[in-house]
Amino acid sequence: MEDQIDVNELGENIVRTLKTIFDPEIPVDIYELGLIYDVFVNENYDVKILMTLTSPNCPVAETLPMEVKEKVSSINLVKDVEIELTFDPPWDKEMMSEEAKLELGML
């Protein structure tokens, strides 16, 4: 029988990976910045990530989603990764975690 991994555990691995990806203009990872709206993992270990950028004209609009896809794809057991970019709702600094706000001196 094949080793089964808990989907929640895989989700935690994905979040840990997302926390290694930084917005080049802000010294905070994209997860704490609130750029990741949702992470879905199905029973086939296909992953869908709903994310946004700090602005539609963000200089990393092309590269950041690709970096997310590549890094999450490299996680053991992940079969397929789909990135969906959305600007609804538009990102604002209220979406940042307390940790990110503290890091940027906003608290």
Side-chain angles (χ1 to χ4, degrees):
M1 190 171 152
E2 205 178 318
D3 285 343
Q4 288 295 316
I5 186 169
D6 186 320
V7 170
N8 290 333
E9 191 182 322
L10 185 56
E12 287 169 19
N13 286 346
I14 292 167
V15 167
R16 269 197 300 278
T17 299
L18 293 170
K19 288 184 174 192
T20 69
I21 303 170
F22 287 79
D23 184 300
E25 298 181 347
I26 309 170
V28 174
D29 71 76
I30 61 172
Y31 190 83
E32 298 296 339
L33 269 180
L35 297 182
I36 303 299
Y37 286 171
D38 223 331
V39 176
F40 306 94
V41 181
N42 71 15
E43 63 280 356
N44 297 325
Y45 306 126
D46 294 327
V47 177
K48 180 175 180 183
I49 297 174
L50 184 62
M51 67 176 289
T52 193
L53 301 169
T54 50
S55 85
N57 310 331
C58 181
V60 292
E62 295 296 312
T63 56
L64 196 59
M66 282 308 300
E67 183 180 355
V68 170
K69 183 173 181 150
E70 285 169 14
K71 287 195 172 170
V72 172
S73 295
S74 73
I75 297 172
N76 198 14
L77 291 178
V78 168
K79 300 273 188 287
D80 187 49
V81 179
E82 179 189 338
I83 305 294
E84 185 177 324
L85 265 185
T86 184
F87 293 99
D88 182 26
W91 181 86
D92 73 40
K93 60 183 187 284
E94 290 310 307
M95 295 173 170
M96 293 192 301
S97 69
E98 297 292 307
E99 189 179 308
K101 289 177 183 171
L102 195 63
E103 178 90 20
L104 297 173
M106 299 171 117
L107 283 180

